[in-house]
Amino acid sequence: MQLLDGKKTSETILDEIKVEVDKILQQGKRAPHLAVVLVGNNPASETYVGSKIKACERVGFKSTLIKLPDTIDEATLLNEIKKLNDDTTLDGFIVQSPLPKHISDSKVINAISPDKDVDGFHPENVGRMALSMPAYLPATPYGVIQLLDKYKIETSGKHCVVMGRSHIVGLPMSLLMVRNTTPGNCTVTICHSKTKDVKKYTLQADILIVATGQVESVTADMVKEGAVVVDVGITRVPDATKKSGYRLAGDVKFDEVAQKCSYITPVPGGVGPMTIASLLMNTLNGYKRK
Ligand code: GUN
């Protein structure tokens, strides 16, 4: 079994981005600029946003954090988004999810200008991705693709089973794996909450990508010998032995599944850091497109 080390791989990508940014700055041009909108104070979101801002600093991007109260009304948030769309000093921005219940996710996503949508969530970018046209790819699935690519995992003709159909991970992940690209060219099965006998499908997976948010629910008996297992789950589970009071758990029972597979991502240190690297790559590409 070999680890798919997202931490190390993402650091290599960040180093490569930094080299490009240094060249840009040496030419006397402005730095790429990412803005992050955080509504409310969900602790996990605060951590993710903090990591994104820190990564910007590391590669030499300019970053702007816009913190808004969770009492903000939808119209005011949409107006903030309009300002960011119109800001010519900005290459891209994201609105961290989850959003408070009184705000419509789809209204927010639709309000983001597709050319600044470095999260790749706008219907125009999702459609372009599905059709293999140039698009911002959503950060988490794109991170998984880059990880498979860096480890030279053969995907063509393989059976990829994606567990989960969320708009952020499962659905775009399945599209990226089925496209006529490298990595890609898989036969793809999507399992979700209404799938009957999930194990029947997961046992057929050469590549199993798990994004259900169900803590440690994928067990060794569900995985084929020699499979490649990618665990997108990252849930805070209360743990009194930790200083923080919690540990981070994936969707896969790592210790038992690792014995069976050829490659597996750890949690933390697997897909999570790759997500951030992808977001920065999208931002750099947005900058270059201008
Ligand atoms: N919440 C969980 N993942 C993501 C992501 O990739 N982007 C945003 N904006 N919010 C998220």
Side-chain angles (χ1 to χ4, degrees), residues 207-260:
I207 301 166
L208 180 61
I209 304 179
V210 192
T212 59
Q214 303 293 312
V215 170
E216 290 163 0
S217 54
V218 172
T219 45
D221 60 306
M222 297 168 69
V223 178
K224 185 165 85 170
E225 197 76 42
V228 175
V229 176
V230 177
D231 186 352
V232 183
I234 183 155
T235 304
R236 291 180 172 200
V237 176
D239 184 340
T241 69
K242 299 273 181 229
K243 220 164 76 187
S244 61
Y246 67 86
R247 69 182 173 96
L248 293 174
D251 294 347
V252 174
K253 250 201 182 109
F254 182 90
D255 290 343
E256 58 177 67
V257 172
Q259 320 240 348
K260 260 187 135 173

Side-chain angles (χ1 to χ4, degrees), residues 95-243:
V95 181
Q96 186 69 25
S97 58
L99 288 169
K101 296 248 178 310
H102 65 278
I103 293 172
S104 152
D105 285 334
S106 68
K107 270 196 198 157
V108 166
I109 289 165
N110 275 289
I112 299 172
S113 171
D115 66 323
K116 290 215 173 133
D117 169 39
V118 283
D119 251 339
F121 291 168
H122 189 281
E124 185 174 317
N125 280 316
V126 179
R128 294 178 68 91
M129 169 182 62
L131 300 171
S132 301
M133 294 159 70
Y136 290 123
L137 302 181
T140 302
Y142 185 25
V144 172
I145 290 287
Q146 292 199 78
L147 198 52
L148 295 174
D149 192 37
K150 295 277 179 187
Y151 279 85
K152 300 189 166 47
I153 306 281
E154 180 63 66
T155 58
S156 181
K158 303 287 184 188
H159 186 189
C160 175
V161 175
V162 178
M163 293 177 74
R165 57 177 161 181
S166 71
H167 292 179
I168 292 185
V169 187
L171 194 69
M173 190 74 249
S174 61
L175 286 169
L176 291 179
M177 293 306 279
V178 83
R179 295 195 319 178
N180 183 1
T181 51
T182 305
N185 279 311
C186 286
T187 303
V188 174
T189 300
I190 308 175
C191 295
H192 50 77
S193 53
K194 300 289 190 292
T195 301
K196 293 199 174 98
D197 195 2
V198 169
K199 187 172 159 182
K200 179 172 96 185
Y201 301 101
T202 59
L203 275 173
Q204 296 173 40
D206 302 309
I207 301 166
L208 180 61
I209 304 179
V210 192
T212 59
Q214 303 293 312
V215 170
E216 290 163 0
S217 54
V218 172
T219 45
D221 60 306
M222 297 168 69
V223 178
K224 185 165 85 170
E225 197 76 42
V228 175
V229 176
V230 177
D231 186 352
V232 183
I234 183 155
T235 304
R236 291 180 172 200
V237 176
D239 184 340
T241 69
K242 299 273 181 229
K243 220 164 76 187

Side-chain angles (χ1 to χ4, degrees), residues 20-33 60-62 89 91 284 287-290:
E20 285 209 46
V21 175
D22 286 346
K23 270 193 213 144
I24 288 168
L25 296 178
Q26 274 162 20
Q27 291 164 6
K29 296 183 192 150
R30 72 168 178 89
H33 182 192
F61 283 9
K62 183 175 174 196
T89 71
D91 301 294
L284 180 61
Y287 174 92
K288 287 198 224 159
R289 268 193 356 206
K290 292 218 172 74

